[in-house]
Amino acid sequence: MKPIILSLFMPLPLLEEFQTLMDGEIVRLDYRHFPDGETYIKIIGELNNRDVIIFDTLFHPDTKTLPLLLLAETARDLRANRIGLACPYLPYMRQDARFQPGEGITSAYFGKILSNTFDWLVTVDPHLHRRSSLDEIYTIPSQVVHASSTIGAWVGQNIEQPIYIGPDEESEQWVADIAKRANVPYVILKKTRLSDHDVSIQFPDFTPFLNYTPVLVDDIISTAKTMITTVNHLAALSMKPPVCIGVHGVFANGAYEALIATKVSKIVTCNTIPHPTNAIDILPSLVEGILKVI
Ligand code: R5P
């Protein structure tokens, strides 16, 4: 029996591509808000003990999470069998420690909330830095899909003589993997985050790479300050205009406009978050991950 696919927020083209790859059946929803702002949800079809996949990506998570949980509860109440979450961008992963006394470790709390409602989770490159696995904070079966080989294929087809640059130590897991597969050079920078909107980065000597095209790869582009600081430094060294690649183009307010105003040659993201920069299709890999879980 085909799985049923439900989605609150995904744009139709992504939803239809997902349905085709998954060979699932989309069941429509009536999703709106009551005049007081509370969520109204109606599932327009029978669930009849069928497996349900909720396909939604959770950038701007605070407005999406409660409706998502209410949808999953509605599906369970209407006799769905297993209910999984296919979530290309998993939020709340960066607050993975108590950096200052009194702070909440919200990645763990968010993991607990989703684990209480869903039967499984599949996502793309969650920000695993101080944690080695989602299993440390999610109690449901989960599958992590990696974007590195898809990004590497895109770079191979589109960029001549690349040098990969990872803007911080966390990015090494993607950058080293992509560069080693393609047998091209890579450099990992040292970043210190000074505040939400400010970073300082230490740069090595780039003289041997002046004829290369810098390809910056990071998991998340949020304020874009990490990318902007790196692009500005490379421009000051008269390197070729770099290509900036993000797995997840979150692009906080004004970030995209600020990045595009630098000496960047191209900004490219995976389609984990719908954005005009989406050029790398990660859905086939996402579906492979789901098939492993279900
Ligand atoms: C940080 O740990 C991540 O890997 C990214 O480098 C970070 O999220 C980028 O943030 P921003 O775009 O705000 O500099």
Side-chain angles (χ1 to χ4, degrees):
M1 190 81 84
K2 292 183 177 196
I4 285 178
I5 298 168
L6 305 175
S7 180
L8 291 167
F9 309 108
M10 276 295 186
L12 195 57
L14 282 179
L15 182 57
E16 288 180 342
E17 180 188 343
F18 181 75
Q19 175 197 20
T20 305
L21 291 168
M22 206 53 242
D23 192 22
E25 177 188 338
I26 296 173
V27 166
R28 288 190 307 115
L29 304 174
D30 185 0
Y31 164 52
R32 60 186 171 82
H33 290 95
F34 289 108
D36 59 3
E38 291 180 5
T39 293
Y40 172 89
I41 284 180
K42 177 178 172 184
I43 296 175
I44 308 170
E46 296 297 322
L47 300 184
N48 289 335
N49 209 28
R50 305 251 305 265
D51 281 342
V52 166
I53 302 172
I54 298 187
F55 174 51
D56 269 312
T57 197
L58 292 179
F59 62 106
H60 297 157
D62 290 11
T63 51
K64 294 193 173 86
T65 303
L66 184 58
L68 182 84
L69 296 174
L70 294 173
L71 172 62
E73 291 296 344
T74 307
R76 203 169 294 286
D77 205 18
L78 294 174
R79 302 189 189 291
N81 186 27
R82 296 180 82 212
I83 303 171
L85 177 60
C87 183
Y89 173 63
L90 185 64
Y92 275 105
M93 288 299 294
R94 286 184 291 175
Q95 184 73 21
D96 57 0
R98 198 183 319 284
F99 300 100
Q100 294 181 27
E103 285 181 352
I105 305 172
T106 46
S107 59
Y109 315 148
F110 196 75
K112 200 195 284 184
I113 291 168
L114 292 191
S115 297
N116 281 341
T117 301
F118 290 94
D119 294 311
W120 53 260
L121 167 72
V122 177
T123 189
V124 180
D125 282 324
H127 186 82
L128 288 168
H129 179 207
R130 276 159 285 263
R131 298 185 196 285
S132 58
S133 155
L134 280 182
D135 293 344
E136 291 179 30
I137 45 176
Y138 283 79
T139 53
I140 49 176
S142 62
Q143 187 75 33
V144 167
V145 169
H146 298 290
S148 41
S149 63
T150 317
I151 292 175
W154 184 91
V155 173
Q157 283 161 13
N158 291 279
I159 311 295
E160 269 183 38
Q161 209 179 357
I163 173 170
Y164 284 101
I165 299 177
D168 56 23
E169 283 151 354
E170 289 135 272
S171 64
E172 182 158 11
Q173 50 188 308
W174 299 278
V175 173
D177 183 38
I178 303 171
K180 283 176 188 163
R181 283 169 197 253
N183 201 22
V184 299
Y186 72 95
V187 173
I188 304 297
L189 309 180
K190 278 204 166 93
K191 177 176 88 179
T192 309
R193 181 163 288 284
L194 306 173
S195 71
D196 288 354
H197 290 271
D198 205 7
V199 297
S200 126
I201 300 182
Q202 284 175 260
F203 294 87
D205 180 14
F206 275 100
T207 315
F209 304 115
L210 290 180
N211 290 326
Y212 286 71
T213 300
V215 178
L216 280 51
V217 181
D218 206 352
D219 59 340
I220 299 171
I221 308 177
S222 177
T223 64
K225 283 292 160 59
T226 303
M227 289 289 187
I228 290 170
T229 307
T230 310
V231 172
N232 288 343
H233 183 85
L234 299 176
L237 297 177
S238 302
M239 285 195 71
K240 293 185 177 174
V243 176
C244 291
I245 301 181
V247 178
H248 308 292
V250 171
F251 294 117
N253 272 347
Y256 177 60
E257 292 71 18
L259 181 56
I260 213 157
T262 64
K263 291 203 162 76
V264 64
S265 76
K266 203 169 176 54
I267 306 167
V268 170
T269 58
C270 299
N271 56 355
T272 62
I273 296 175
H275 191 266
T277 54
N278 289 169
I280 301 174
D281 185 8
I282 206 68
L283 291 192
S285 308
L286 184 80
V287 167
E288 272 177 37
I290 293 170
L291 294 176
K292 283 184 194 157
V293 172
I294 64 173

